[in-house]
Amino acid sequence: MKFVLWGTYCADVLERRTPFREEHLAGLKRQKEEGVLLTLGPTADTRFVFGLYEADDKETVEGLVKGDIYWRQGIWTAVEVHPWIQAF
């Protein structure tokens, strides 16, 4: 199944993410290599995060998201994961 992630960043994201960025990107790279992460990134104004995942269930995706250093350190302030149907 495919899932879409929507979320928000903290107000001072560019400063606050710096000490955690390397760990965050390494985790995303592993997820990409494993085939569960299709794409993820911020909006141009760095207010929102968007991602697409492919996994067996929503709980798997939520576990990856909640395990991310950005979530644990409050860089992401809210996240929602929803099943997604790719029309095209």
Side-chain angles (χ1 to χ4, degrees), residues 22-35:
E22 188 175 314
E23 180 179 338
H24 170 68
L25 293 175
L28 296 179
K29 182 180 178 187
R30 278 191 303 277
Q31 292 174 24
K32 185 90 167 159
E33 290 169 349
E34 293 169 0

Side-chain angles (χ1 to χ4, degrees), residues 12 16 20 23 43 45 47 78 82-83:
D12 52 352
R16 289 205 41 213
F20 312 110
E23 180 179 338
T43 56
D45 62 6
R47 291 178 46 217
H82 300 279

Side-chain angles (χ1 to χ4, degrees), residues 16-58:
R16 289 205 41 213
R17 75 179 181 182
T18 300
F20 312 110
R21 190 156 170 74
E22 188 175 314
E23 180 179 338
H24 170 68
L25 293 175
L28 296 179
K29 182 180 178 187
R30 278 191 303 277
Q31 292 174 24
K32 185 90 167 159
E33 290 169 349
E34 293 169 0
V36 69
L37 176 63
L38 303 176
T39 191
L40 186 134
T43 56
D45 62 6
T46 62
R47 291 178 46 217
F48 302 98
V49 60
F50 169 80
L52 292 174
Y53 290 83
E54 190 160 3
D56 291 333
D57 51 54
K58 182 178 175 179

Side-chain angles (χ1 to χ4, degrees), residues 5 31 53 59-73 76 78-81:
L5 162 79
Q31 292 174 24
Y53 290 83
E59 292 75 23
T60 298
V61 177
E62 288 176 337
L64 292 170
V65 172
K66 299 292 173 95
D68 191 288
I69 190 76
Y70 276 18
W71 177 256
R72 296 191 327 265
Q73 294 298 323
W76 290 337
V79 292
E80 294 181 15
V81 176

